[in-house]
Amino acid sequence: MFTQDKLKAKIHYCRDTGIFTWLYGTGLVKAGDRAGSVSTTKFSKSYIKIKVFRKHYQAHRLAYFYINGEWPTNQLDHIDGCGTNNKWSNLRPVTAAENCKNKRLQSNNTSGTTGVTFNEYMGRWKATIYDGNKQYHLGYHSDKFEAICARKSAEKKRGFHENHGTIRPL
């Protein structure tokens, strides 16, 4: 395993832009070239991957190591939901449960609000929230706005990130 000093001797990370650049050239790569390339997961989420010391690393994890000198013990959340935005101010260490509290609005959502659905049989809006692998029923509401308020109130009470359920890039 390489050290923080060895990484800093090979590559530069700008915490304001989130961009890595090579400090010296080899072959087709020149000093000052941007490091890494966009890689897409099977869920269509895009991240920057960088091959350094003969292994590929996700740039956000390299950024954490570059700044702190140690690898993150859990996950790193891209606060704005954009996996290619590796600005230091956009990264935060989180547990898997905390990371789930900052998800974007799913593309198959029909109400426009996570956890709010229309129950045709009852003719009412249903509000639910998942937290810690458990679903909580927040009630049936005759008005969509009431169901949304119930959901948003539960998100705040349970520590969900303010960006949770928003429309954001992959």
Side-chain angles (χ1 to χ4, degrees), residues 37-107:
S37 59
V38 176
S39 175
T40 306
T41 69
K42 64 182 176 181
F43 303 109
S44 300
K45 177 88 174 165
S46 296
Y47 294 99
I48 304 285
K49 281 198 173 181
I50 300 172
K51 187 173 184 179
V52 62
F53 302 109
R54 298 184 182 168
K55 186 176 175 187
H56 284 96
Y57 295 90
Q58 292 178 321
H60 57 281
R61 296 185 70 78
L62 275 179
Y64 189 91
F65 183 75
Y66 189 96
I67 298 295
N68 294 315
E70 59 186 33
W71 294 100
T73 54
N74 286 308
Q75 297 180 6
L76 288 176
D77 179 31
H78 289 84
I79 297 167
D80 69 358
C82 179
T84 59
N85 178 1
N86 293 308
K87 293 177 188 173
W88 186 245
S89 62
N90 190 47
L91 302 175
R92 66 182 182 132
V94 293
T95 63
E98 290 170 322
N99 208 6
C100 286
K101 292 181 177 185
N102 188 17
K103 286 184 173 181
R104 72 184 35 79
L105 183 68
Q106 292 184 351
S107 61

Side-chain angles (χ1 to χ4, degrees), residues 4 6 9 12 22 28 36 44 55 67 70 73 75 79 84 90 102 113 123 139 143 148 154 156-157 166 169:
Q4 180 188 37
K6 285 184 181 179
H12 176 262
W22 297 109
L28 298 173
S44 300
K55 186 176 175 187
I67 298 295
E70 59 186 33
T73 54
Q75 297 180 6
I79 297 167
T84 59
N90 190 47
N102 188 17
T113 302
D143 184 67
I148 292 171
K156 190 170 185 176
K157 180 180 175 184
T166 58

Side-chain angles (χ1 to χ4, degrees), residues 113 116 127 141 144-155:
T113 302
V116 175
H141 306 271
K144 180 179 176 182
F145 181 74
E146 290 175 14
I148 292 171
C149 288
R151 170 61 193 217
K152 294 298 180 188
S153 176
E155 285 178 9

